[in-house]
Structure formats: structure tokens, C-alpha cells
Amino acid sequence: VAGAGATLAVYYWAKRRFGRVVKISVPATTANLACGFDAFGAAFELRMCLRAELCDGLNATCFEYEGEGAEGVCCTEKNLIWKSACVCARMFGGGKELPKMKISVSNCVPFGRGLGSSATAIIAGVVLANEVLGLKLSKKQLIDAGLQIENHPDNLSPALYGGAVASGVGVDGASMIVPFSINRAVKAVVLIPDFEVETEKARQVLPATYSRADCVFNIQRAGLLPLALSAPTLNKGLVRECMKDKLHQEYRAPLIPGLVECMRLPETSSNPHLVATVLSGAGPTILSLATGDLESIGKLMQQTMREKGVQSRYLVLPFAHVGATVSWSFW
């Protein structure tokens, strides 16, 4: 057994040392979870998969895309994945330069919908640089590299770590990250409207200042939500109350017809499995947490949006307990 283990270890070392192809998988994410504005995030089993082949003689790295966003994505070295890899290499590479590659991407994460598509690209890029240059960076260092591009870690952290994560940025600019669990009885239904909302536009509608009462409202719920979600016995009423917010959702509602009505569904519908409904990230995707009857909940959300003139689709998604993954091969 010991001999077999040693042989396997050598095999994996050789693949990483002499392999020409690295494969990276990064999950989609949701940010905020209502009360945890710019602080909480969670990962879904909906992934962007990347295959990067080291190629001699290439003048520039090039991309091929299939799936979500393939029609409009940049396929040159201006691609966000490659820009992120270069940032990581400059930050931690000690002068090492990234070799040119052929990169193929199969993407299931919709662009501009509040499911962390930019975070999947950024994490894929920093992980790619770490692997190809053999930097042996910690997860925290990878997030710190990602923060040079996206200055809040609520999507970046779950994309790398998986599960649910509370995160922030210290006064020194470094990331602060603490994972927490979500009770396995809880599943996600995400409703994806057929329009995009630019993150920058969703931030511009937020007020410059907030009342003390509204800040306290969110602080109280943010302190309780990770504990409520991770409790072995799920208290649906507590989770529902904690997933209320006074800092961002009401201000973004005018950008997303049907959001207010969907957020009221846990109270107005008779479905006992529907725990809470909130905006996913900056939107327009809407997230429901539920313990069952998931297809019916998706259809109910879809009908609610349709009544506001919005076409949409829904996905039933488990939470991803594993974040970004890496494997090497010889071909």
C-alpha cells in the first residue's frame, strides 16, 4: 500500500511538473445574501471550466469560448481571465513571465446577471498563474491578487473557497475571509431575467449615506445569518428574518421589475418550503432559498416576473461545497 501511494504521488508530481494542459473549474456565486452587503457570498454548482494548453511558438495567448456569453467575449489577451493571470504574476511572480497558451473555456455562468461571472474569470486567472508559474500561493494570496481587479471579495471568496464565506478588506488592503456552512437541507432556486444590469449602474443608485437605524437593522441580521444558516436544525423563520435588508435591495428594485413581488413570496405564497427570496448580487438574478418543492417555487417566481412583463428562466442549484479545482494532464 505504501509503495502504491508513493507511485501515485510521483505520478501526480510528474503531471504537474511536465504536464502541458491545466484544467480549472470555478463555480458561480451569489453575493450579499441580503443583509450581508459586500460581505457574504456563496457558491453554486454551476461552473465555468477552462482548459489551458502550453504551446511553444505562440506570439500571443488566444481564447476559444462556448456556452454563456460566447458571442461577445474578448478572445485576445485583453480577456479578463488573462488580465487577472498577469496581475497575479506581477504581484507574486518575482519577475517570472507567463508563457503563451491556447485557452478553451466552456461557460455555464450567465454574464451580467448577478451570478459572479466576473469573479469566475478573475479566480480562474489567478489560479492559472499560480499553477503555471508554480507560485504555491495560499488562498488568501490568490484573493489578494483578485482584489487588484475587483475591490470587494464577496464573490471572489466563494468562487475560490466554495460553500459560504464572510469576507472583507482590511485597512491594509488585504482580504479577510472566514468560511461558514449552509445547512444541507437548503437548496437554491435562481431566477434569471432576460436582461442584464451593469454592476456599476446598480451601485450608482445606492445612497451616499444611510441612517443609523438602517445600519443597525443590517448589522443585527448579518451577525445572526451565518449562525442561522449553519445550524444543524434549520430555523426557517430566523433565516427569513435575517435575510432582510435596508441597504441595497429597495434602491435597486426600480432596475428590476418584479423584484419586490418576488421578495414578498415567502410571506404571500402558501409554500411551506420557501424560506427566503432576495436579490443575487447586484441583480437582476433573484435567489430563493428553499427546502423542497423547488420546481414549483421556480415556476412561481417565473410567473411573478411574467406578470411584470419580464421573461425569465430558472435553475435549481445545489450549493457548491468545493470551490475552484485544478488538474494537470499531458494532453
Side-chain angles (χ1 to χ4, degrees), residues 78-298:
K78 293 182 179 180
N79 183 283
L80 183 56
I81 294 172
W82 188 249
K83 289 167 65 176
S84 304
C86 293
V87 166
C88 185
R90 287 195 298 269
M91 189 170 178
F92 293 111
K96 294 180 180 179
E97 290 191 9
L98 285 164
K100 303 304 181 183
M101 311 175 205
K102 289 182 179 178
I103 299 176
S104 301
V105 178
S106 178
N107 181 41
C108 294
V109 184
F111 285 9
R113 297 296 204 277
L115 287 170
S117 59
S118 61
T120 62
I122 293 168
I123 292 300
V126 299
V127 169
L128 179 63
N130 184 48
E131 289 293 318
V132 170
L133 297 180
L135 302 179
K136 299 181 180 179
L137 300 177
S138 67
K139 287 183 176 180
K140 184 180 184 304
Q141 288 173 310
L142 291 172
I143 296 295
D144 288 344
L147 285 175
Q148 305 306 304
I149 302 166
E150 185 170 289
N151 63 0
H152 43 95
D154 51 350
N155 276 309
L156 296 173
S157 300
L160 182 62
Y161 282 73
V165 181
S167 61
V169 180
V171 293
D172 60 354
S175 59
M176 305 181 294
I177 299 160
V178 178
F180 63 92
S181 62
I182 293 179
N183 186 299
R184 287 182 180 264
V186 177
K187 302 294 187 292
V189 182
V190 295
L191 185 90
I192 306 169
D194 65 355
F195 62 89
E196 297 184 18
V197 170
E198 294 180 8
T199 301
E200 186 58 35
K201 185 175 182 180
R203 286 191 172 272
Q204 288 174 354
V205 300
L206 301 180
T209 60
Y210 295 94
S211 71
R212 179 187 298 178
D214 286 352
C215 292
V216 170
F217 183 95
N218 272 55
I219 289 168
Q220 289 173 338
R221 283 153 184 78
L224 288 167
L225 182 60
L227 301 174
L229 282 173
S230 60
T233 300
L234 188 70
N235 183 330
K236 295 180 185 179
L238 179 60
V239 172
R240 181 178 297 171
E241 182 59 38
C242 287
M243 293 190 74
K244 293 180 179 178
D245 152 75
K246 291 193 175 182
L247 297 187
H248 65 103
Q249 294 182 129
E250 65 182 89
Y251 302 104
R252 289 168 166 170
L255 301 176
I256 306 162
L259 172 61
V260 171
E261 290 76 12
C262 280
M263 288 172 53
R264 291 174 181 158
L265 288 176
E267 285 82 21
T268 60
S269 77
S270 58
N271 195 315
H273 299 286
L274 180 52
V275 179
T277 301
V278 300
L279 186 63
S280 178
T285 291
I286 301 171
L287 164 67
S288 282
L289 299 187
T291 56
D293 204 15
L294 305 174
E295 294 289 340
S296 295
I297 289 169

Side-chain angles (χ1 to χ4, degrees), residues 12-13 15-17 19-27 47-52 120 122-139 142 159-161 322-329:
Y12 284 121
W13 173 84
K15 281 212 300 185
R16 190 174 291 265
R17 176 66 177 83
R20 301 288 292 175
V21 174
V22 58
K23 298 177 181 178
I24 299 169
S25 168
V26 186
R47 290 180 176 262
M48 182 194 74
C49 298
L50 172 154
R51 180 187 185 275
T120 62
I122 293 168
I123 292 300
V126 299
V127 169
L128 179 63
N130 184 48
E131 289 293 318
V132 170
L133 297 180
L135 302 179
K136 299 181 180 179
L137 300 177
S138 67
K139 287 183 176 180
L142 291 172
L160 182 62
Y161 282 73
V322 175
T325 63
V326 179
S327 64
W328 280 88
S329 64

